Amino acid sequence: MATDPRLARAPARIATPPQPPPPPPPPEALAQQRPSVGLDGADDGATNGVRPEEEGFKLKFCTVCASNQNRSMEAHLRLSAANYPVISFGTGSLVRLPGPSIDKPNVYPFNTTSYSSMYSELQSKDPRLYRANGLLTMLERNLGVKWGPERWQDWAIGKPRLEHVEDQGSKGVEGGVVDVVITCEERCWDAVVDNLMERGGGLNRPVHVVNVDIKDNHEEALVGGKAILDLADSLNRMAQEERGNGEGETGRGEGFDARVPDVIAEWQERWPLLPALWTLCWF
């Protein structure tokens, strides 16, 4: 059973060819399997797609899609593997996953349903269908990143996230604030911006909200995750440059906020098929 190698901490086990394949492991054990080839077919080699940890300033990121399942979780995993502090959310009213037909989706509540329980339910319903459409593989990746999907509108901004210390990328975002929010669809960007306006910016802290428009399928999520990591790297390099001129009130550098649109414009030239939006909001 293939899982995402960027979650790896130990080498894969090799089955003996003459023996029949073993039954699927329980969801809790899935994150312990370590194949050498990623979901995108790329050989991640000895590093398993994980960067060595580097000293220095790191921007804090938040990734957002509709259900906190596919696009935002792929980006969450890539950013955390690159040692960025990161959290992720969905903006929908409920978590919706494809079912046996278009009018019969699998629906779950945010915040109270784990990826592990979703995996177990779909595995028991129709393992062949949900393996073929990629849902089981996606949930295997997700349950190795964090406990379950969270809803943006329910996030208590500025409240310590002490119950999420086991999440990948949690180090650095324990205080419940981020520097950049990256959404994966324009309607999610609208929902985030509208919600921040309704909240009123009580912390008086600027936050950049960027949309990278990614189609909601597994292949496009992989491409979008790479593009979001590239954008994060570009923004972080610029922040480190600006910190050399003074940290500023947010610690991101005196001229960081003014230079963000230029960095996004340069990034857009490298990724012309992923249209971007940007605005400055307040926590």
Side-chain angles (χ1 to χ4, degrees):
M1 182 183 296
T3 58
D4 198 312
R6 294 161 297 177
L7 306 175
R9 300 183 188 277
R13 295 180 180 178
I14 302 176
T16 304
Q19 296 178 345
E28 292 77 6
L30 291 169
Q32 303 302 320
Q33 299 185 10
R34 311 303 178 210
S36 61
V37 179
L39 292 175
D40 56 359
D43 187 351
D44 290 326
T47 64
N48 290 320
V50 179
R51 293 182 186 173
E53 190 161 359
E54 300 175 355
E55 297 293 333
F57 176 76
K58 293 284 188 179
L59 290 171
K60 303 175 180 65
F61 292 93
C62 172
T63 60
V64 182
C65 67
S67 290
N68 198 198
Q69 287 282 359
N70 183 30
R71 297 162 292 180
S72 64
M73 287 299 289
E74 175 63 27
H76 184 145
L77 178 56
R78 285 192 178 269
L79 291 172
S80 64
N83 300 309
Y84 286 110
V86 58
I87 55 180
S88 60
F89 296 96
T91 58
S93 57
L94 293 166
V95 175
R96 290 179 171 84
L97 296 177
S101 62
I102 194 170
D103 61 337
K104 294 180 180 179
N106 293 284
V107 180
Y108 307 95
F110 279 100
N111 307 321
T112 59
T113 311
S114 69
Y115 294 121
S116 178
S117 64
M118 295 178 196
Y119 180 93
S120 297
E121 180 177 312
L122 297 185
Q123 177 77 13
S124 66
K125 283 183 175 180
D126 192 335
R128 180 174 296 182
L129 169 64
Y130 294 119
R131 177 63 62 187
N133 68 9
L135 287 188
L136 292 180
T137 301
M138 179 187 73
L139 289 167
E140 288 165 7
R141 173 201 66 196
N142 293 354
L143 64 87
V145 176
K146 66 177 192 175
W147 183 83
E150 301 173 75
R151 188 168 184 256
W152 167 273
Q153 292 87 340
D154 300 329
W155 176 28
I157 297 172
K159 179 182 177 181
R161 292 173 55 84
L162 302 180
E163 70 276 20
H164 295 278
V165 293
E166 298 299 322
D167 295 356
Q168 289 205 27
S170 63
K171 184 179 179 181
V173 287
E174 302 93 335
V177 294
V178 298
D179 301 300
V180 182
V181 177
I182 302 177
T183 63
C184 301
E185 186 176 346
E186 188 170 348
R187 62 171 175 159
C188 299
W189 186 80
D190 289 337
V192 167
V193 172
D194 289 347
N195 179 257
L196 288 175
M197 292 180 66
E198 291 173 1
R199 293 184 187 232
L203 299 180
N204 197 33
R205 179 186 174 93
V207 57
H208 295 266
V209 185
V210 183
N211 184 66
V212 177
D213 211 46
I214 304 169
K215 293 181 180 178
D216 192 8
N217 60 60
H218 303 299
E219 294 76 15
E220 293 295 330
L222 286 166
V223 174
K226 295 175 183 178
I228 287 173
L229 177 57
D230 181 32
L231 177 58
D233 286 339
S234 299
L235 290 169
N236 199 67
R237 280 194 299 270
M238 183 268 284
Q240 290 176 335
E241 293 171 4
E242 288 299 323
R243 279 170 60 85
N245 301 321
E247 294 187 5
E249 294 182 2
T250 61
R252 300 181 296 219
E254 291 287 355
F256 175 82
D257 294 334
R259 290 182 60 188
V260 167
D262 293 333
V263 172
I264 295 174
E266 293 172 2
W267 172 90
Q268 186 73 88
E269 292 179 359
R270 298 193 298 273
W271 300 89
L273 300 182
L274 297 174
L277 294 171
W278 164 85
T279 192
L280 181 64
C281 293
W282 299 84
F283 280 158

